Amino acid sequence: YKNIRKGRYCNLIPNSEVNHLKTLLNSDLVLTKFGTTTLELTLLNTPFISVYKAGIFNYSIAKMLSDIKYVSMPNILTGKQIVKEFIQSNMTAEKIFIEAKKILSDKSYKEEILSGFQEVQSIFKNTPINKPAADIILDEMSKS
């Protein structure tokens, strides 16, 4: 990491439970696994790249038992790709670097992602606050 960033302004900040939301909110880009953090980042308007690589046995079983098109929450909730998902053999350093560079340097591309985040945020703005998150997600998934 130090050799790569030599001569460039770049900070790699590992997330911690102590400063979790502060870290996410103050980041220009986050590299994260699939899960709750993808929804948090969407609601915070922080661009991210989703990655996941499991053992081939676990991945094969999950793939056979699941028929979902997306794994990141904003993609699931909207039924379309808002953020890129890099899974298994598609998760390479080169692909992640290319996507990170595009998000950080292509303003219209970043705005497209943030626009998708607004679409997800509108789902929650139009939903009663007393409804459990699981019900909201299931309702949205059944629409698509």
Side-chain angles (χ1 to χ4, degrees), residues 2 4 13 25 30 37 40 47 54 63 67-68 75 85 109-110 122 128 134 138 140:
K2 289 179 182 178
I4 292 171
I13 303 168
L25 183 61
V30 173
T37 302
E40 291 173 330
K63 191 76 172 154
D67 190 29
I68 59 172
N75 296 350
E85 299 177 345
Y109 184 67
K110 180 179 176 181
S122 72
L138 290 171
E140 289 304 315

Side-chain angles (χ1 to χ4, degrees), residues 42 48 70 72-85 99 103 109-121 123:
T42 300
F48 65 93
Y70 301 110
S72 294
M73 289 306 291
N75 296 350
I76 292 170
L77 290 170
T78 59
K80 63 183 179 183
Q81 182 177 286
I82 292 174
V83 295
K84 294 270 177 92
E85 299 177 345
E99 180 67 7
I103 291 170
Y109 184 67
K110 180 179 176 181
E111 288 300 320
E112 189 178 317
I113 292 169
L114 295 177
S115 176
F117 288 178
Q118 295 297 315
E119 189 176 335
V120 174
Q121 291 169 15
I123 292 169

Side-chain angles (χ1 to χ4, degrees), residues 1 25 29 68 72 86 103 121 124 128 130 143:
Y1 169 72
L25 183 61
L29 177 66
I68 59 172
S72 294
F86 296 99
I103 291 170
Q121 291 169 15
F124 292 97
N130 62 350
K143 291 179 185 177

Side-chain angles (χ1 to χ4, degrees), residues 3-69:
N3 290 336
I4 292 171
R5 66 168 244 194
K6 195 176 256 181
R8 297 184 181 114
Y9 175 76
C10 180
N11 257 339
L12 178 64
I13 303 168
N15 198 3
S16 72
E17 290 194 28
V18 175
N19 293 320
H20 178 70
L21 289 176
K22 184 179 177 183
T23 301
L24 300 181
L25 183 61
N26 291 304
S27 295
D28 295 316
L29 177 66
V30 173
L31 180 64
T32 186
K33 62 181 177 32
F34 305 124
T36 308
T37 302
T38 63
L39 184 57
E40 291 173 330
L41 291 163
T42 300
L43 298 175
L44 293 170
N45 279 325
T46 302
F48 65 93
I49 299 170
S50 286
V51 299
Y52 191 76
K53 194 167 195 172
I56 191 67
F57 182 73
N58 291 341
Y59 177 75
S60 299
I61 291 172
K63 191 76 172 154
M64 286 188 313
L65 297 175
S66 173
D67 190 29
I68 59 172
K69 188 173 182 179

